């Protein structure tokens, strides 16, 4: 045995004694792994965040802010390409302070010149450590905050470039690195799916609303009465809905108005709604009064010839009397009519509601009457206007009555729009509003 040889120590013992030894290297590797793990966990959270909403403007803005968080960037933007694919038609920004936004007031958003345009023409990832030195740079407009570094990544939707995601100025002052590029590219891949989902949702919502509107009538001339109606889809519709309304002046000079709500949000509900409305229109001319008789006959008819889901409805007739007008109405499990006077008073016509259509055709339906003032308004509406799980239905009805009273003297079109725009519900159901106003003179 060589006498000069030193006995071997345990593995790593010498490393602890040597600055910069292998143990320090292992520690750095572990730190890097932990940082990478945290970053990728952040990416998963970011993907969930951008996928948690289906409104396209919200999704686009959230993509920008989550990318900023992942890369530690001070500024971010998403430029959406126009149909030609060679310029930006929309530019969503984040990170600008109120003062910086004020300094840019009146300056048009960039349309794809300079370094931004370079990414449009060359859609691969782009990292720039000094923007003014880049060959494509054309400078910044007056009032633009100073920016030196840039990370740009294209976002693809269904195989086509949708736009470009831009980040600038890491908060630690360092240039963007390969890790930043890698994780932002991963986010951009998820962003393309989120954007496509939001676009499909918007298309379905718009198509459902258009289809629903085609099924609903355009109100005819109701002279000497006046009428207005509005329909709004739910904030998150599952499809077309079953809300419906109709109004007409009958040969006996009575104005009849009806509103209803078929249970369900699908094509079956929409088809049932159209069938019920069409049959009711025919029954109104055949069996004009009382309203309970018309609803009973409708219930028998749909029970015999079609599979109508449970449906609520309120049918009202406004008839002339010697000193004004009188309202005859009957409800089938529906909310009561709301009456408004020109001087701003509002109250509900309470009465036994009766059972919904499609439940039991043998149950008698009640009728109710109430005088109406000259120039008075009757508002019929579906429950989507007042329902909110966070409060009782009575609170919603009270809020609606107060809102209607504040607009009681408005033209009818303005009145129904105000009710639809400022409704007290949570917006998660379709809503329909029908308002009929008696003539100003008798």
């Amino acid at each position: 045995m060589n006498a000069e040889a030193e006995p071997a120590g345990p593995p790593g013992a010498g490393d602890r004694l040597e600055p910069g030894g292998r143990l320090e290297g292992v520690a750095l590797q572990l730190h890097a792994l932990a940082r990478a793990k945290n970053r990728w966990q952040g990416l998963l959270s970011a993907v969930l965040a951008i996928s948690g909403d289906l409104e396209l403007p919200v999704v686009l803005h959230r993509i920008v802010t989550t990318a900023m968080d992942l890369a530690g960037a001070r500024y971010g933007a998403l430029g959406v390409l126009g149909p030609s694919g060679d310029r930006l038609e929309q530019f969503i920004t984040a990170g600008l302070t109120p003062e910086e936004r004020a300094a840019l007031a009146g300056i048009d958003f960039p349309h794809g010149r300079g370094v931004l345009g370079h990414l449009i023409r060359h859609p691969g990832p782009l990292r720039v450590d000094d923007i003014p030195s880049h060959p494509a740079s054309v400078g910044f407009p007056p009032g633009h905050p100073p920016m030196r570094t840039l990370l740009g990544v294209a976002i693809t939707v269904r195989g086509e470039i949708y736009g470009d995601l831009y980040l600038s100025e890491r908060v630690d002052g360092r240039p963007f690195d390969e890790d930043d590029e890698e994780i932002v590219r991963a986010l951009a891949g998820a962003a393309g799916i989120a954007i496509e989902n939001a676009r499909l949702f918007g298309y379905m919502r718009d198509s459902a609303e258009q289809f629903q509107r085609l099924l609903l009538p355009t109100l005819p001339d109701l002279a000497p009465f006046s009428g207005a109606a509005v329909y709004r889809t739910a904030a998150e519709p599952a499809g077309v809905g079953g809300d419906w309304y109709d109004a007409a002046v009958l040969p006996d000079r009575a104005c009849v108005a009806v509103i209803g709500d078929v249970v369900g949000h699908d094509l079956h509900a929409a088809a049932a709604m159209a069938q019920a409305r069409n049959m009711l229109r025919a029954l109104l001319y055949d069996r004009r009064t009382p309203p309970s008789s018309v609803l009973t006959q409708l219930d028998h008819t749909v029970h015999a010839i079609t599979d109508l889901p449970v449906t609520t409805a309120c049918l009202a007739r406004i008839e002339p009397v010697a000193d004004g007008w009188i309202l005859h109405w009957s409800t089938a499990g529906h909310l009561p009519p709301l009456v408004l006077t020109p001087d701003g008073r509002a109250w509900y016509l309470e009465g036994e509601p009766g059972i919904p259509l499609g439940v039991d055709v043998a149950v008698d339906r009640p009728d109710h009457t109430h005088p109406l003032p000259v120039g008075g308004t009757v508002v019929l509406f579906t429950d989507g206007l007042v329902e909110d799980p966070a409060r009782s239905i009575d609170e919603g009805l009270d809020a609606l009555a107060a809102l209607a009273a504040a607009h009681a003297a408005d033209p009818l079109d303005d009145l129904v729009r105000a009710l639809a725009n400022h409704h007290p519900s949570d917006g998660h159901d379709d809503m329909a509003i029908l308002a009929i106003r008696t003539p100003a003179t008798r």
Side-chain angles (χ1 to χ4, degrees):
M1 179 180 290
N2 188 338
E4 297 181 356
E6 296 183 3
D15 294 336
R16 287 195 294 268
L17 302 175
E18 298 178 14
R22 283 188 298 171
L23 190 58
E24 183 178 344
V26 170
L28 291 174
Q29 289 178 341
L30 290 174
H31 178 74
L33 287 172
R35 180 173 177 270
K37 178 182 178 182
N38 290 337
R39 187 170 247 195
W40 286 102
Q41 286 179 337
L43 173 64
L44 294 178
S45 298
V47 170
L48 291 175
I50 65 175
S51 304
D53 203 290
L54 290 173
E55 294 292 338
L56 184 58
V58 176
V59 171
L60 296 181
H61 188 266
R62 193 166 289 170
I63 289 169
V64 178
T65 56
T66 52
M68 291 168 58
D69 291 340
L70 287 174
R74 179 169 295 140
Y75 302 106
L78 196 161
V80 180
L81 293 176
S84 64
D86 59 359
R87 66 194 306 269
L88 303 177
E89 69 170 9
Q90 190 178 0
F91 202 69
I92 299 100
T93 63
L96 294 171
T97 65
E99 294 76 16
E100 289 170 336
R101 289 191 181 276
L104 292 171
I107 297 177
D108 196 13
F109 69 83
H111 291 279
R113 297 177 60 240
V115 180
L116 303 189
H118 178 85
L119 185 58
I120 295 174
R121 295 185 297 273
H122 307 281
L126 175 66
R127 277 189 286 132
V128 179
D129 292 346
D130 185 45
I131 294 174
S133 301
H134 192 277
S137 177
V138 294
F140 295 104
H144 196 284
M147 294 183 183
R148 183 177 57 87
T149 61
L150 176 73
L151 170 59
V153 175
I155 294 178
T156 301
V157 176
R158 298 183 69 87
E160 296 184 357
I161 303 298
Y162 176 84
D164 296 305
L165 179 60
Y166 307 102
L167 301 176
S168 183
E169 301 303 287
R170 269 178 45 161
V171 294
D172 60 9
R174 298 169 58 189
F176 295 103
D177 56 28
E178 291 184 3
D179 289 341
D180 297 322
E181 178 183 318
E182 183 179 5
I183 202 161
V184 173
R185 286 181 65 185
L187 177 69
I193 298 173
I195 291 170
E196 175 64 4
N197 288 342
R199 292 202 305 183
L200 287 173
F201 173 81
Y203 174 77
M204 292 173 60
R205 177 183 57 195
D206 294 344
S207 297
E209 183 170 359
Q210 183 180 14
F211 179 65
Q212 182 87 7
R213 293 187 188 282
L214 289 173
L215 292 177
L216 292 171
T218 299
L219 291 184
D221 181 7
L222 300 176
F225 303 87
S226 55
V230 65
Y231 167 78
R232 297 282 173 85
T233 57
E236 297 180 4
V240 292
D243 290 16
W244 54 286
Y245 57 80
D246 202 357
V249 174
L250 300 181
D252 62 357
R253 298 178 56 212
C255 179
V256 64
V258 63
I259 199 159
D261 187 356
V262 178
V263 173
H265 287 83
D266 52 25
L267 288 174
H268 180 55
M273 173 269 286
Q275 288 178 316
R277 185 179 67 81
N278 292 339
M279 285 187 285
L280 182 60
R281 173 67 74 93
L283 290 171
L284 288 173
Y285 281 87
D286 180 57
R287 302 172 68 98
R288 300 173 189 170
T289 190
S292 62
S293 176
V294 178
L295 287 179
T296 297
Q297 186 58 44
L298 175 64
D299 205 2
H300 280 282
T301 303
V302 296
H303 181 76
I305 67 176
T306 188
D307 181 23
L308 181 72
V310 173
T311 302
T312 68
C314 179
L315 175 62
R317 280 175 52 94
I318 304 175
E319 302 171 0
V321 292
D323 56 349
W325 307 90
I326 191 166
L327 179 71
H328 291 251
W329 83 96
S330 182
T331 62
H334 203 83
L335 294 171
L338 175 63
V339 175
L340 308 175
T341 60
D343 60 359
R345 290 181 294 137
W347 68 92
Y348 292 101
L349 298 180
E350 302 292 351
E352 185 183 348
I355 65 171
L357 303 174
V359 176
D360 188 345
V361 296
V363 175
D364 291 336
R365 298 190 174 278
D367 275 297
H368 311 283
T369 60
H370 193 278
L372 291 179
V374 171
T377 303
V378 179
V379 180
L380 307 179
F381 54 95
T382 55
D383 55 11
L385 194 65
V386 293
E387 284 189 335
D388 185 340
R391 59 183 177 183
S392 70
I393 189 69
D394 287 339
E395 290 176 298
L397 290 170
D398 290 344
L400 177 65
L403 175 63
H407 295 273
D410 292 357
L412 279 190
D413 285 333
D414 295 340
L415 169 64
V416 296
R417 278 197 297 267
L419 299 183
N421 291 340
H422 307 292
H423 59 85
S425 78
D426 64 353
H428 281 73
D429 195 5
D430 296 355
M431 60 183 72
I433 308 166
L434 174 62
I436 306 294
R437 181 167 290 168
T438 61
T441 59
R442 175 67 179 89

